Amino acid sequence: IEAAFKKTAKEQGIKDYDKKIAAKLIKESAPVILELKKHHNRKRPYELDKNLKSIVLKSMQTPSYPSGHSAQGMLIASVLKDKYGKGPAFMQTAKNISDSRNIAHAHYKSDSVNGTKLGKKLYKHIKKT
């Protein structure tokens, strides 16, 4: 996630990109996302359908719902959009992160859709504080 946003910032000509923003948001949002994952305890697609080809990554060791990558991608994109502008580019990066998790059979579409909604809600929450 962090590398994807750093790349987007570079492509957009943002010279003062603060890579600590993404790292901080990931760290701070992880406990909330993990609590929801544990509550729902949804198996990942490749766990239920052994015919799906999937490379199991370290980031796929928790339950499937909601998609943490989708939530964190949307949260980070929203914060970076406020700080640097370039909204369409950052939002596209968030969408690409979310979509990649479906392609990899790490998530169901509903995991990603609701992860994205969670990211928007987390953003609204921190924007108020």
Side-chain angles (χ1 to χ4, degrees), residues 25-85:
L25 291 169
I26 289 169
K27 183 179 179 181
E28 290 177 352
S29 63
V32 173
I33 295 166
L34 189 56
E35 186 174 328
L36 288 167
K37 284 177 171 284
K38 287 179 179 178
H39 173 78
H40 292 285
N41 200 29
R42 185 180 200 183
K43 291 194 180 296
R44 292 183 180 266
Y46 68 85
E47 293 177 297
L48 293 176
D49 184 347
K50 300 300 181 192
N51 293 319
L52 292 175
K53 296 191 186 300
S54 182
I55 298 170
V56 181
L57 306 171
K58 184 180 178 185
S59 64
M60 295 162 59
Q61 301 302 309
T62 59
S64 188
Y65 182 90
S67 167
H69 278 77
S70 298
Q72 291 171 331
M74 180 53 66
L75 173 60
I76 293 164
S78 299
V79 170
L80 294 178
K81 175 183 65 125
D82 283 354
K83 182 165 178 67
Y84 299 110

Side-chain angles (χ1 to χ4, degrees), residues 65 67 70 98 102 108-119:
Y65 182 90
S67 167
S70 298
S98 181
N102 295 121
Y108 301 96
K109 182 74 174 166
S110 59
D111 299 341
S112 298
V113 167
N114 287 296
T116 298
K117 288 179 183 178
L118 175 60

